[in-house]
Structures are given as C-alpha cells and as structure tokens.
Amino acid sequence: MHADQQLSKSLKPRHLSMIAIAGVIGAGLFVGSGAAIQQAGPGILVAYLAAGLVVILVMRMLGEMAAANPETGSFSTYADKALGRWAGFSIGWLYAWFWIIVLGIEATAGAAIMHRWVPGVDQWIWALILMVLLTLTNLGSVKSYGEFEFWFASIKVAAIVIFLLAGIVAILGFMPGVPAPGVTNLLDQGGFMPSGPGAVLAGILVVVFSFFGAEIATIAAGESENPVDAVKKAVKSTVWRILIFYIGSIAIVVTLLPWNSASVAKSPYVAVIELYGIPGAGTIMDIVVLTSVLSCLNSGLYTASRMLFSLSRRGDAPKSWTRISKRGVPAAAVLASTVVGFITVGLNYIAPDTVFLFLVNTSGAIALFVWLVIAASQLVLRRRMGAAAKDLQLKMWFFPYLTWIAIASIVALIIGMVILESTRESLFLSLALAVIVVGIGVWRYRKGGAAPAQATSGEEEPASVGAGPAS
C-alpha cells in the first residue's frame, strides 16, 4: 500500500446516479412498510410525504455544500468548517458507527434468505460468505463497488417500476381477475386516518429512517470523474425518486388492498403480487430483498470505510487508515470497517437479544443527528459566504427560511422519539453514545489541545466552503 496515492476517480455518472437511488431504496421499503401501514392506515401516505420533504430539504442543503466543495468526508468535513473540529470528529465517528452496525443487520438478513433457499448450509456461514464477498468487492477498486451498486440498484428500480405499472393497470381495472378498487380501501376501512392524526405523526418516526442513505451519493462524488455535476444531478433527482418510488408504491398497496389485512402486515409487496395472480410471489420478493440487502452491505462497507479514511486524513483516526492501495482504494479503512462488521455479525448470533440489540439501539437516532448537523452547517457556511453565495452552482431554496423549517422539523422528530414509547430507549442510547463521542471531541479540540491535522494521503486539502474555518 502507498500513502502517496490518491483515491481513484473512476466512478462514472451512471454509477453516481444509481448509488443515489440505491441509497433511498432499501429493504425497509419492501419489508418494514407493512408495520407502518398497519399503524396509520392509508394515512401513512401523509407520513411518507412529510418524512420525504424533510429528506429533500436536507439533501438540498447537503448538495449546496457538496457542489461547492466535493469531499469524501462530506458533511463531516463541512461540520469541521462550520461548527468546529469537535463537530466534524463527532458526527464522522457516529456516522461510521451507524453503517458498521448496519453491516451486522444486513448480513444476517441476507443470510436468512440464503438459508431458506439452501438450508443445508448454516446461516452464520452464509453471513460470512456475504461479508467476504462484499469486502473483496470494496478492496478491488471503487469501480467494482460502483458496478455492483449499479446492477443492484438497477434490479431494485426495475422491480419497483414493474410493480408501479402493474398497480396502475390494476387500479384502472384493466388487469384480468382484479376488480378496480376505486377508493374503497382508502376510505371505507375506518377512513383515511383510521387511528387518528396521532398515529400518522407516530408513523413519520417509523418511516423517516427508511430515507437515510441518500447522502451516500455526496460521499461517493469525491471519487467520480466530475464530482460537481454528479452531486447536482443526484440531489435534484432526490425529489422524484422519493415521490415515485416510495409514495407511489405505498399508494399502490393501500389502494389495492385493505390496510388492516394480515397479508399487508406481513409483506405488503408480496400481498400485491399475489393479488396480481403471479406465482412464486414470495420467492420474487426474496430475490428483490436479497438484492437490497447486498446493496446495503456494499454501500455500508463503502461508506463506513470512506468516513474512517476521511477522519484519518484529518488526524481523527489511526494514521494507517490513510493508506491507499495501488488501485486507489483506502484498503486499511475498508479492512478496519470489515473487522468490526464481522464482530457485529458474530454478536448477532451469539447474543442477539442483549449485546447486539444494545448496539443497534445506540445507532437508532444517528440519522436525525446527521441531518441536524447538515442543516446547522449549511446555515453557518452560507451566511459566512455573504455576497459570494450568488456564485453557488446549487442553492438551498428560500434560504434561510427553509433551512430553519428543516431544523425545527428534525428537532420535532427527536422530541417525538422521546414521546413515543417504542423509540424512547433507542433515542436515549443514541444520545448517550453521542454525548460520549462529542465529549471526546470537545476534550480533544479544547483550547490548547490537538491541532487540526493536515492531509496525509496525497488527496489535496480542499478549499473551505465559505469564508474560512470556524474559529
């Protein structure tokens, strides 16, 4: 490995486009949406729309900063400049921790599907195989990661597009054997909000985390041929991706089937496919979910390693993690992420209901913390730019009003996690972890403490977004 190598710039526009899409479409959409529908009824559409609007605002703010200054560390480096070195340190480590925990969750989910197909092979062996496969992919080259993610995302997009088109045909009454439902399932099963507005508000907390991952595109942009254009395209397409893929597909489900049916609770997409009369609905959905799991594993390992690499480059992680292979991959950071990922997979089999559950809960609210830091950083950096902001290639809409609305919305979601009993423990554990990490960051960068590190990887230290570093 060589410390003087630079990260490869081999991701193409098609890779970045699909990475952005893959970040939004996760297994949570296909599997977790059933519980959300059962909780709020057809009104869950309002919850998805509200959560989607928050994500759209956050991505626009992040896009503004990333288009002005594409960085592998993304929002962590912007927090450095806007809020102080302690903030970049803290949110970078929390974000890397989130994705490392995701590795354990997704590897186990994928192994469960493979074990159903090939029961002769123990589930833990499948988890090991999946982790090794995706580790090798990420060690190979960033182009390998991009290609895998391109095809994983293509399968997911194709599945949802077919699902949507078939749904429209069925709703219009043109599908043989499926009577047109009209608005019966939307209004006649206790009304549009059968459990009241409170359930819809609680539903926002359930669905909002499904959208986490869209920001991966801004991290990957640093390894693309044209990062500025890639960021602009990814951010601008976030709106229609959320509207079509999430809200569109959930609308198909709640229009075609009663929201309170057992089949919807178990697996809404399988229930709709069975309604179409397509044989092997469960197997079809298993394939789509497995693709989503592999995509999430692939992206999780990539994202965690790049954040650890960025932290190392700034002196906030072991210096050895800045080493880059001849293929332009931060191999040491990839392996560091993998080692902890393997440990979490092991804990999920050894102590699933104690240690692993505890670790998962410590990451439960990190998405909201990340979004809050993104919004606060954009607010500070945009104001610091002054008149120079007119030259930005991508701007936040109606600044600073929508930025403040986004901040208020995220704070409201955090308060909601306190109120809702099912999310309270996860929030408190996430807060406890955040307090520890922030405490370390503040202590590390207290007045007279460690000085900010300079780039050591050969990747040039980029210019600041705004008028200079935070004082």
Side-chain angles (χ1 to χ4, degrees):
M1 294 186 197
H2 301 266
D4 58 348
Q5 290 273 91
Q6 291 193 21
L7 291 176
S8 173
K9 305 285 184 180
S10 54
L11 288 178
K12 299 182 182 299
R14 66 182 178 87
H15 293 142
L16 264 294
S17 175
M18 282 302 184
I19 286 169
I21 291 173
V24 174
I25 308 170
L29 171 62
F30 301 112
V31 180
S33 54
I37 293 170
Q38 285 287 296
Q39 180 174 338
I44 198 64
L45 287 170
V46 177
Y48 271 102
L49 182 60
L53 289 175
V54 173
V55 176
I56 287 167
L57 294 179
V58 169
M59 281 300 294
R60 186 75 183 191
M61 288 183 278
L62 181 56
E64 176 183 292
M65 296 184 288
N69 188 8
E71 279 237 36
T72 300
S74 188
F75 51 83
S76 175
T77 56
Y78 309 143
D80 265 0
K81 297 175 176 68
L83 308 175
R85 293 284 287 125
W86 65 271
F89 170 91
S90 303
I91 204 64
W93 273 106
L94 287 172
Y95 188 70
W97 173 246
F98 173 89
W99 283 108
I100 287 170
I101 292 297
V102 164
L103 295 180
I105 298 171
E106 298 295 335
T108 305
I113 294 174
M114 295 302 296
H115 182 64
R116 282 204 300 271
W117 292 348
V118 189
V121 178
D122 289 344
Q123 192 169 318
W124 70 269
I125 295 177
W126 281 120
L128 182 65
I129 290 171
L130 294 179
M131 283 288 292
V132 170
L133 173 65
L134 274 304
T135 298
L136 292 175
T137 299
N138 275 267
L139 285 173
S141 68
V142 70
K143 189 174 182 180
S144 298
Y145 158 73
E147 282 297 329
F148 266 75
E149 203 58 19
F150 176 82
W151 291 107
F152 286 152
S154 296
I155 292 170
K156 290 191 287 187
V157 169
I160 291 185
V161 168
I162 293 170
F163 182 86
L164 289 172
L165 292 175
I168 293 171
V169 170
I171 289 171
L172 294 176
F174 297 141
M175 183 172 287
V178 181
V183 295
T184 302
N185 293 320
L186 292 173
L187 302 177
D188 293 355
Q189 304 289 330
F192 186 68
M193 297 184 185
S195 302
V200 174
L201 291 174
I204 296 176
L205 286 172
V206 175
V207 305
V208 71
F209 300 104
S210 300
F211 294 110
F212 199 48
E215 72 291 334
I216 294 174
T218 66
I219 294 173
E223 295 176 75
S224 67
E225 297 170 339
N226 193 334
V228 175
D229 284 348
V231 166
K232 287 164 64 177
K233 289 178 181 177
V235 171
K236 288 179 179 179
S237 63
T238 297
V239 177
W240 65 261
R241 287 200 308 268
I242 288 175
L243 290 176
I244 294 176
F245 294 140
Y246 267 89
I247 299 172
S249 61
I250 295 298
I252 295 292
V253 173
V254 295
T255 302
L256 286 176
L257 294 169
W259 64 270
N260 51 2
S261 69
S263 58
V264 169
K266 184 179 179 182
S267 180
Y269 289 80
V270 170
V272 172
I273 294 172
E274 288 175 342
L275 178 70
Y276 296 158
I278 299 174
T283 302
I284 292 170
M285 192 48 56
D286 269 350
I287 293 170
V288 175
V289 171
L290 180 62
T291 302
S292 295
V293 164
L294 293 176
S295 171
C296 197
L297 264 177
N298 196 35
S299 289
L301 187 51
Y302 171 85
T303 308
S305 65
R306 291 329 187 259
M307 188 57 75
L308 292 180
F309 167 77
S310 177
L311 287 166
S312 176
R313 190 166 66 92
R314 286 174 275 153
D316 290 335
K319 187 177 180 180
S320 61
W321 294 354
T322 60
R323 292 177 183 172
I324 299 175
S325 70
K326 291 180 180 180
R327 296 189 176 187
V329 173
V334 171
L335 291 173
S337 304
T338 302
V339 168
V340 183
F342 276 123
I343 292 171
T344 59
V345 172
L347 288 171
N348 198 5
Y349 287 103
I350 297 169
D353 299 323
T354 52
V355 180
F356 184 73
L357 183 61
F358 174 81
L359 294 178
V360 169
N361 281 334
T362 62
S363 66
I366 287 177
L368 297 180
F369 301 160
V370 168
W371 293 343
L372 194 59
V373 166
I374 289 171
S377 299
Q378 189 267 340
L379 185 68
V380 171
L381 292 176
R382 177 71 173 270
R383 283 182 167 168
R384 193 179 291 165
M385 290 188 74
K390 69 179 185 296
D391 297 323
L392 286 170
Q393 296 197 45
L394 189 69
K395 292 183 180 180
M396 177 60 180
W397 306 295
F398 302 108
F399 179 83
Y401 307 109
L402 282 183
T403 297
W404 278 113
I405 288 173
I407 290 173
S409 300
I410 296 165
V411 171
L413 288 170
I414 293 173
I415 294 171
M417 287 190 73
V418 176
I419 296 171
L420 199 64
E421 188 176 350
S422 60
T423 57
R424 193 177 301 147
E425 180 184 5
S426 182
L427 173 66
F428 288 158
L429 287 174
S430 298
L431 277 174
L433 177 64
V435 167
I436 293 170
V437 176
V438 169
I440 295 171
V442 170
W443 177 82
R444 180 179 173 83
Y445 291 103
R446 68 196 184 281
K447 191 173 182 179
Q454 296 301 315
T456 58
S457 68
E459 188 177 294
E460 295 180 2
E461 187 73 18
S464 293
V465 181
S471 57

